Amino acid sequence: MSHMDLLGDLIARARKAGADAADAVLVAGSSLSVSRRDGQTEQLERAEGQDLGLRVFVGQQAAIVSATSIDPNGFDRLAERAVAMARVVPADPYGGLAEAMSPPEMGDLELDDGHEPDATTLLGRAEMAEQAARSVSGITNTEGAEAGFSRTEIVLVTSAGFAGRVLRSGHSISATALAGSGTDMQRDYDYSSKVYFSDLDDPETIGLSAAHRALARLGPVRPKTAVVPVVFDPRVSTSLLGHFLGAINGGAVARGTSLLKDRMGQAVFGAGITIIDDPRRVRGSRSRLFDGEGVATRTRTLIEGGVLQTWLLDSRSARQLGLVSTGNAARGTGGPPSPSSTNVYMQAGTLTPAQLMADIREGLYVTELLGGGMNGITGDYSRGAAGFMIRDGVIAEPVAEITIAGNGLEMFANLVPANDLVFRRGTDAPTIRVDGLTMAGG
C-alpha cells in the first residue's frame, strides 16, 4: 500500500472507533550530511525516519497521538487510544477540520530534483569550501565546512475527503572561517541552501566569502552610546520581517497578544513598502500547493503601500476571529496545526545600498544580531549586535559588544529598503535602513 492508502485506512479505523472526524499526517525522509575540518573528514552521518500523527475529533473534543512506525496491525489500537483520549478532554469551540478543504491542485512547483548526491560528492564539496577559506591570507584556521542533502515526503489525508502528498529535496553547503589569534580572533560564515542541487552556490565562493567576512571583523572597537541611523545587512534584515510575521500570526492576534491586533487596514509601514507571502514560488524552500490542513494556498500581499492587508490564519484562529483560513496552517505529527508563513519577502526599494548610506555622517551597519528580540505586545526592541561603523556614508571600522534598541512600530513605519533583494532563504529582505535607533556601546 502507498503511504496515502495507509493513512486512508487509518482514518477509516478512527471513524470506526468513534471519531466524528479525523486527519492523519505522515512525514518520512532521509538525509546525508558530511563535514570536513583541517583537511580531514570530521563527520559523515546518514539518517532515515518516519513519523505518523493521527488527530481525531469527538464532537469538538480533540486528541492527537503519534507513532514512529507505520504498522497497519497497530492502527486499531492507535485509533482507539486517540478516541479514548478525546472523550476526556475539554471541548474546543473553535476546533475541527478546515472547512475550505479541496482536492490539491495539479501543478509543478519543482520541489524535488530527483538527485541524491553520494557521500564522496558531498565530501568533495565540503573540502573545496574549506580549502578556499584557508587559501585567503590572514585566515588562521576554520571551524570546517559542511555539505548536506535531504529528501522529505509529507502526506496528509482527512476524513473530509482530502488527500495530498509533497516530496521535497534540500541541498546545502556552508563554511566557517577564523581570522586572527588569541583575544582578537574573529569568526564568520557563509552558506547556500537550495531545493535543487544545481542551484547551489559554488563551494569555493562560499569558502572565500566566509574568509573575507572573518577578516573584515578583526580589531573591533566598542563605540560610544548614541542615537544613529542603523543599516541592516540582508543577512539580518530578515529578522525585521520575522518580528512583523510574529505580530500578524493569527494565534497571537486571537489571543490579543499582538501589537498589530487592532491595525488591520491601517498603515503600519511607509507608503512604499510591500510584503508578500508566496507559497507558489517555483523551487521555493517553503513552497506548497496546500497547507497543513488541506487548504489550497495562494500568494497573498501582507502589506501593500504600507497598509496591513491580512493576518496569517489557520482554521482555528480564523474561527476565533470570525474569518476564514488563509491557507497558512503548518503542522507536525505530534501537535495541532498553527499559523505559519511560507516564502515571505519585502519588495526591493529604488536606492542602492551605497545610496541608502550616502548621507549618514555617523551610523551603524549591522551584520550580526544576538539574543533579545521584540516584545510582541509593546513593540520594545533590543538586540545585541556587531558590524561596522558608517562614517561619512562609507562602511568603516568593525564594532562589537553593542546593543541596538528602539520601538518596533516606529521601526516598521520608518524603515527604507534598498534595491538588493536576493531570494536566499524562506524569508528574504534587501538591505534596510532604520533611523533613530539607540546604539548602546561604551
Side-chain angles (χ1 to χ4, degrees), residues 36-42 130 134 140-145:
R36 296 271 296 181
R37 187 170 185 272
D38 292 332
Q40 302 295 319
T41 299
E42 191 168 65
E130 188 188 26
R134 296 180 72 95
T140 52
N141 206 336
T142 77
E143 290 185 355

Side-chain angles (χ1 to χ4, degrees), residues 243-399:
H243 296 314
F244 163 68
L245 294 173
I248 65 168
N249 182 288
V253 174
R255 291 190 300 271
T257 57
S258 166
L259 76 165
L260 297 181
K261 60 183 174 61
D262 299 317
R263 300 295 296 271
M264 180 65 71
Q266 299 180 26
V268 174
F269 290 81
I273 303 301
T274 297
I275 301 174
I276 294 173
D277 183 36
D278 181 13
R280 300 300 182 98
R281 183 188 303 160
V282 173
R283 302 190 186 186
S285 63
R286 299 177 186 170
S287 296
R288 57 196 185 190
L289 292 171
F290 57 90
D291 75 352
E293 296 181 296
V295 177
T297 61
R298 69 179 179 88
T299 300
R300 295 180 183 273
T301 300
L302 308 179
I303 294 289
E304 184 172 16
V307 176
L308 179 61
Q309 303 293 317
T310 184
W311 313 122
L312 299 176
L313 302 171
D314 64 349
S315 61
R316 186 179 187 280
S317 61
R319 293 184 189 109
Q320 287 179 280
L321 295 167
L323 301 170
V324 296
S325 171
T326 58
N328 283 99
R331 67 180 298 182
T333 57
S338 60
S340 180
S341 59
T342 63
N343 304 300
V344 174
Y345 65 96
M346 178 183 291
Q347 286 188 349
T350 60
L351 300 175
T352 66
Q355 291 170 329
L356 199 68
M357 294 185 288
D359 66 338
I360 297 177
R361 187 182 66 83
E362 181 180 76
L364 176 66
Y365 186 87
V366 177
T367 60
E368 184 177 18
L369 290 169
L370 306 166
M374 188 176 77
N375 185 296
I377 299 176
T378 66
D380 291 339
Y381 177 89
S382 179
R383 300 289 303 268
F388 302 86
M389 291 301 295
I390 301 171
R391 300 195 185 280
D392 296 323
V394 178
I395 292 176
E397 73 274 13
V399 293

Side-chain angles (χ1 to χ4, degrees), residues 66-83:
S66 59
T68 56
S69 64
I70 307 174
D71 180 10
N73 293 324
F75 280 1
D76 284 333
R77 185 169 62 255
L78 195 68
E80 291 165 1
R81 184 183 304 128
V83 171

